[in-house]
Amino acid sequence: ETGVTQTPRHLVMGMTNKKSLKCEQHLGHNAMYWYKQSAKKPLELMFVYSLEERVENNSVPSRFSPECPNSSHLFLHLHTLQPEDSALYLCASSHERYNEQFFGPGTRLTVL
Amino acid sequence: QKEVEQNSGPLSVPEGAIASLNCTYSDRGSQSFFWYRQYSGKSPELIMFIYSNGDKEDGRFTAQLNKASQYVSLLIRDSQPSDSATYLCAVISGGSYIPTFGRGTSLIVHP
């Protein structure tokens, strides 16, 4: 778990707030991912960065904005969220050639 | 639409028994298969991966892959209460590095 870190671990925000989630990987991987996990639903892939190329799930609302300044850091910028965005947000990384993903501990987000 | 199907369970087995978890997938071009364990309130943890038809064993865990029938399974021998968790199946198609996850199967191992 310490190979991929996420901050904060818990976040409560109002619908008008702007906040950012941070992820850092110490594994030398070259691909990073944001997932959303809601109760009773499968993991939903939101964004992928690989070798500085971004791949996104077209169903993700524009109120979620990713940023990947380098291969070790990944951010998810949040603005004007809705209560239904409350979920566990997971960051993961992988070496593109080997595919196995390693997850961070997640950020539990509550939108009031 | 690539789909990965798992029985949501819960699957309940007594301590010491073999737990069998199954996963089917729709994309015949799938080449990489993974099993993750997720404890309640925690993030998924990779426990097994398999690329070739047949069995792959690692300690008490055995992954079985049958590409012709498009299923992958996970057997847990000598199940322990600490194995109680949700098990997620993930599949990656050839030429991709982006997985499709199933909804997960909840496993309960009772003493």
Side-chain angles (χ1 to χ4, degrees), chain A residues 18 32 38 43 56 60 66 70-71 75 81 88 107 111-112:
Chain A
K18 291 184 180 180
M32 296 186 76
S38 304
L43 278 172
E56 61 187 90
V60 176
N70 54 61
S71 61
F75 296 88
L81 294 192
L88 180 67
T107 295
V111 182
L112 301 177

Side-chain angles (χ1 to χ4, degrees), chain A residues 23-82:
Chain A
C23 176
E24 184 173 0
Q25 59 96 2
H26 311 273
L27 300 170
H29 289 164
N30 55 14
M32 296 186 76
Y33 310 74
W34 279 119
Y35 287 93
K36 176 183 179 182
Q37 189 174 39
S38 304
K40 306 298 183 183
K41 293 184 179 180
L43 278 172
E44 176 186 353
L45 180 67
M46 301 177 73
F47 302 101
V48 181
Y49 277 87
S50 175
L51 298 175
E52 301 178 13
E53 177 189 10
R54 177 175 133 184
V55 176
E56 61 187 90
N57 180 341
N58 291 330
S59 66
V60 176
S62 59
R63 55 186 182 267
F64 295 91
S65 174
E67 178 188 0
C68 189
N70 54 61
S71 61
S72 299
H73 295 85
L74 185 65
F75 296 88
L76 187 63
H77 304 300
L78 317 172
H79 64 97
T80 59
L81 294 192
Q82 303 299 310

